[in-house]
C-alpha cells in the first residue's frame, strides 16, 4: 500500500488501481495541516499538580492551552496539527509538569526551562 491517503480507482482492465495521495486543497487541509505547527513556550516555569492514581490526563503539547499544563482543545481550533499527550497516573503524587514544551521527558519537567534558549524566548513563541 502506498499510504494512508491513497485513493482506489478502477483501472481500464477491470482491476483496482492504487493511485498516490492526491493534493488536499479542500477544507480538510485547513483543519488537518500536513506539517504540524511547532509548540510554543506557554510559561518559563513548570506547574506543580497533584496527579490521582488511575486518572487519565491530557498534557498540552502545543503550548496554546489556556488551562496549562493541560489541554483545552486550542490545538484543534488554532489548526496546529498537534495533539495532546494522553497519560495515566500510576500513583497519586505531586509532580512538576512542563510548560516550556522543551522537556525531553514529556509531560514531566526535566529542568530545560532553565536553559538560556528557553529563558530568552518570548512566551507564546516557538523555540
Amino acid at each position: 500500500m502506498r499510504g494512508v491517503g491513497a485513493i482506489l480507482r478502477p483501472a481500464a482492465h477491470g482491476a483496482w488501481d492504487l493511485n498516490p495521495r492526491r493534493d488536499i486543497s479542500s477544507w480538510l487541509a485547513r483543519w488537518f495541516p500536513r506539517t504540524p505547527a511547532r509548540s510554543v513556550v506557554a510559561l518559563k516555569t513548570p506547574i506543580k499538580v497533584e496527579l490521582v492514581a488511575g486518572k487519565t490526563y491530557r498534557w498540552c503539547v502545543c503550548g496554546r492551552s489556556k488551562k496549562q499544563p493541560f489541554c483545552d482543545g486550542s490545538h484543534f481550533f488554532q489548526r496546529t496539527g498537534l495533539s495532546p499527550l494522553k497519560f495515566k497516573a500510576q500513583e497519586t503524587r505531586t509532580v512538576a509538569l512542563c510548560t516550556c514544551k522543551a522537556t525531553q521527558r514529556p509531560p514531566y519537567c526535566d529542568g530545560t526551562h532553565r536553559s538560556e534558549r528557553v529563558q530568552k524566548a518570548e512566551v507564546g513563541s516557538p523555540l
Side-chain angles (χ1 to χ4, degrees):
M1 196 172 214
R2 292 189 187 176
V4 176
I7 302 166
L8 284 174
R9 293 193 180 146
H13 51 80
W16 287 90
D17 185 19
L18 190 60
N19 291 325
R21 185 177 178 158
R22 67 178 173 190
D23 182 30
I24 301 175
S25 57
S26 67
W27 63 273
L28 270 177
R30 290 192 310 252
W31 288 99
F32 304 102
R34 285 186 181 183
T35 306
R38 291 177 33 208
S39 297
V40 298
V41 176
L43 298 169
K44 295 183 185 183
T45 56
I47 294 178
K48 289 186 178 180
V49 295
E50 183 169 339
L51 301 179
V52 177
K55 185 173 179 184
T56 301
Y57 297 90
R58 292 172 45 224
W59 178 70
C60 172
V61 169
C62 72
R64 293 161 176 85
S65 173
K66 302 295 182 222
K67 295 183 178 181
Q68 288 295 328
F70 301 111
C71 177
D72 68 359
S74 294
H75 65 278
F76 181 77
F77 295 107
Q78 293 183 30
R79 302 175 185 158
T80 66
L82 298 169
S83 296
L85 174 69
K86 192 173 168 182
F87 70 101
K88 187 181 242 183
Q90 299 302 311
E91 59 184 331
T92 299
R93 66 184 177 131
T94 300
V95 298
L97 295 182
C98 175
T99 59
C100 74
K101 309 306 175 189
T103 182
Q104 297 299 305
R105 294 180 28 226
Y108 306 103
C109 175
D110 67 358
T112 305
H113 64 277
R114 293 186 203 108
S115 71
E116 187 176 338
R117 181 178 75 131
V118 174
Q119 290 302 313
K120 283 187 173 182
E122 294 287 325
V123 170
S125 67
L127 288 176

